[in-house]
């Protein structure tokens, strides 16, 4: 039976980063992925993901983001391919709404450069946007996007170059602690042992992590790319990434890049939840209609022909914060994810954190927001 220092189950955003960080430290690593590397069944497909410092979700994320930026730059330099593109970013909506108020709070607490604009000034600076009168936008110049699928390729490639054993199309079917304090892992192909196990299986995390079955809820998302009537305001360099709070919900946007169209998504889309194996990955007319509804409201000049629609998955926790922790009573097993739809930008630093947790048992970062026992205290864990 093959023996490893660390087995990483799930070689997506977090798993590939963890495998890379561990392998470069000289650890013997096995990465297991049930699909291809990368693949289109999980949470990272669709070209790119927003990265931003003005983090409305909670100011505690900002120090993690600063380190994430550093590590993305290190990763792209080592891989020889640009992964991080800085475009500037807008957080827009009602001044007292969650997005703008939270974004401003993070900027003020962490002394981030930013500029608050009313709807008229936003339209003047960025003509693609048509915010409601009375709405405002917080501009933060460091925001941009990370090439999500390419980042997984980069991290996996460099992990293998550093000695990691990465295996696609080999699904985790079970694991158990061993008498010596390690773990035994069973897959569709073999059985392995290791000193430590990282569970980073994304939307399938509840299948493998006890206690998360009713907490980690996969949700179907659809991303759309549309041909603007006037492409200039939506071009890279003219259009910042953004998150906008609207009467239809909060939406997120990207400039035209790689796919020939303006990219838009709607948080919680049509609120379709279920097991990851049962959620459809095939976009349909209702998906397109939901995206066009919000696009016509805020970005009417982008309401041209559909160019592409793609599905991905969120895995939502009740409080929408991450889970990064050791399993109760099993310090040899670390859970990384779910990330409630806003985790990819952190993959580089979470990989470093997972390497620290599995080799040192602790992290220099404040992980208090991501502990599993927050749910036990609320009576949600057994």
């Amino acid at each position: 039976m093959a023996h490893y220092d660390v087995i990483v189950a799930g070689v997506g955003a977090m798993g590939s980063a963890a495998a890379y960080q561990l392998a470069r430290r000289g650890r013997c690593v096995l990465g297991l992925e049930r699909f291809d590397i990368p693949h289109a069944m999980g949470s990272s497909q669709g070209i790119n993901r927003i990265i931003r410092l003005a983090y409305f979700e909670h100011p505690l994320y900002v120090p993690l983001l600063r380190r994430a930026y550093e590590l993305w730059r290190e990763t792209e330099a080592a891989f020889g391919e640009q992964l991080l593109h800085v475009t500037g970013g807008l957080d827009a909506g009602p001044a007292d709404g969650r997005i703008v108020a939270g974004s401003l709070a993070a900027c003020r607490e962490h002394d981030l450069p930013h500029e608050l604009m009313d709807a008229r000034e936003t339209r003047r600076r960025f003509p693609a946007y048509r915010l409601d009168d009375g709405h405002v936008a917080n501009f933060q110049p460091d925001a941009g996007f990370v090439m999500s699928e390419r980042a997984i390729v980069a991290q996996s490639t460099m992990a293998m170059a550093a000695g990691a054993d990465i295996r696609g199309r080999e699904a985790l079917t079970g694991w158990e602690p061993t008498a010596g304090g390690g773990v035994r892992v069973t897959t569709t192909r073999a059985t392995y042992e290791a000193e430590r196990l990282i569970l980073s299986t994304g939307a399938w995390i509840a299948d493998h992590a006890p206690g998360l079955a009713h907490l980690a809820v996969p949700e179907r998302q659809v991303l759309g790319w549309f041909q603007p009537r006037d492409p200039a305001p939506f071009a890279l360099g003219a259009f910042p990434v953004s998150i906008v709070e609207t009467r239809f919900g909060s939406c997120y946007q990207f400039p035209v890049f790689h796919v020939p169209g303006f990219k838009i998504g709607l948080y919680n889309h049509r609120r379709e939840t279920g097991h990851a194996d049962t959620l459809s990955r095939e976009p349909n007319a209702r998906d397109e209609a939901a995206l066009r509804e919000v696009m016509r409201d805020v970005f009417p000049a982008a309401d041209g022909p559909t160019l592409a629609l793609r599905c991905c998955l969120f895995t939502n926790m009740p409080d929408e914060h991450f889970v990064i922790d050791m399993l109760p009573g099993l310090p040899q097993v670390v859970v990384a994810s779910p990330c409630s739809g806003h985790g990819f930008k952190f993959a580089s630093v979470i990989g470093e954190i997972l390497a620290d947790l599995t080799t040192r048992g602790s992290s220099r970062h404040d992980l208090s927001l991501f502990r599993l026992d927050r749910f036990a205290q609320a009576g949600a864990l057994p």
Side-chain angles (χ1 to χ4, degrees):
M1 187 184 303
H3 189 95
Y4 295 85
D5 294 328
V6 183
I7 294 175
V8 181
V11 188
M14 311 307 167
S16 62
Y20 171 44
Q21 291 294 335
L22 286 161
R24 69 188 299 197
R25 297 182 189 188
R27 297 307 195 271
C28 183
V29 182
L30 171 64
L32 299 168
E33 171 55 55
R34 65 179 290 179
F35 301 111
D36 295 336
I37 303 171
H39 62 83
M41 296 298 289
S43 303
S44 301
Q45 60 273 23
I47 308 298
N48 49 11
R49 293 293 184 271
I50 289 175
I51 187 168
R52 51 195 166 88
L53 285 171
Y55 221 68
F56 68 82
E57 288 86 345
H58 197 288
L60 185 145
Y61 287 95
V62 177
L64 293 174
L65 283 161
R66 284 179 162 146
R67 181 57 177 156
Y69 273 79
E70 293 174 353
L71 288 168
W72 284 127
R73 290 302 190 200
E74 288 182 16
T75 300
E76 65 183 5
F79 189 57
E81 179 178 321
Q82 186 175 1
L83 302 172
L84 171 59
H85 296 257
V86 174
T87 63
L90 291 176
D91 295 310
D96 59 352
R98 180 190 180 208
I99 288 174
V100 172
S103 173
L104 287 171
C107 287
R108 291 163 181 161
E109 180 170 333
H110 293 281
D111 196 27
L112 302 175
H114 66 285
E115 181 181 358
L116 188 64
M117 301 179 289
D118 61 18
R120 182 176 180 180
E121 177 63 11
T122 304
R123 288 193 294 267
R124 186 190 71 79
R125 292 267 298 275
F126 305 107
Y129 291 78
R130 290 294 182 269
L131 301 182
D132 289 346
D133 291 338
H135 284 196
V136 297
N138 183 34
F139 178 75
Q140 209 285 316
D142 298 301
F145 58 82
V146 178
M147 303 297 291
S148 52
E149 291 146 312
R150 293 303 299 167
I152 292 172
V153 171
Q155 293 173 157
S156 300
T157 299
M158 291 191 296
M160 290 186 288
D165 183 1
I166 305 292
R167 304 185 182 192
R169 295 183 174 258
E170 183 167 354
L172 174 69
T173 57
W175 62 268
E176 60 182 358
T178 61
V183 64
R184 183 175 297 111
V185 167
T186 304
T187 75
T188 49
R189 294 178 183 267
T191 300
Y192 311 95
E193 289 190 350
E195 301 304 311
R196 299 288 183 268
L197 170 65
I198 295 173
L199 294 173
S200 54
T201 52
W204 291 266
I205 194 73
D207 293 347
H208 309 299
L212 288 182
H214 303 293
L215 294 171
V217 179
E219 180 180 36
R220 181 177 177 270
Q221 296 291 128
V222 175
L223 308 169
W225 286 259
F226 300 90
Q227 181 183 348
R229 290 194 292 270
D230 178 7
F234 297 92
L236 185 68
F239 187 93
V241 297
S242 56
I243 300 176
V244 183
E245 189 174 351
T246 79
R247 58 180 167 272
F248 302 107
S250 297
C251 57
Y252 48 97
Q253 298 75 223
F254 298 76
V256 176
F257 191 79
H258 275 215
V259 174
F262 160 71
K263 178 182 175 181
I264 187 169
L266 182 64
Y267 282 107
N268 305 120
H269 194 56
R270 291 166 47 207
R271 300 189 181 278
E272 297 171 287
T273 61
H275 191 277
D277 289 338
T278 67
L279 292 171
S280 172
R281 307 309 199 276
E282 184 62 33
N284 56 50
R286 292 180 64 193
D287 296 321
E288 180 181 340
L291 295 174
R292 285 194 180 275
E293 185 175 50
V294 67
M295 184 169 61
R296 288 166 178 162
D297 189 51
V298 185
F299 304 98
D303 189 24
T306 300
L307 297 173
L309 296 171
R310 299 185 189 179
C311 286
C312 69
L313 300 179
F314 286 0
T315 309
N316 299 321
M317 298 300 291
D319 60 6
E320 298 185 351
H321 293 308
F322 304 165
V323 173
I324 306 173
D325 203 357
M326 299 169 183
L327 286 181
L330 293 167
Q332 69 269 49
V333 182
V334 178
V335 177
S337 186
C339 289
S340 300
H342 62 107
F344 191 96
K345 63 185 75 65
F346 295 91
S348 60
V349 67
I350 289 177
E352 183 178 67
I353 289 168
L354 297 174
D356 288 341
L357 291 177
T358 51
T359 59
R360 305 174 188 168
S362 63
S363 169
R364 64 185 175 91
H365 296 286
D366 183 356
L367 304 180
S368 58
L369 194 63
F370 314 131
R371 291 175 58 90
L372 271 168
D373 63 9
R374 71 189 194 264
F375 300 109
Q377 292 165 5
L381 277 178

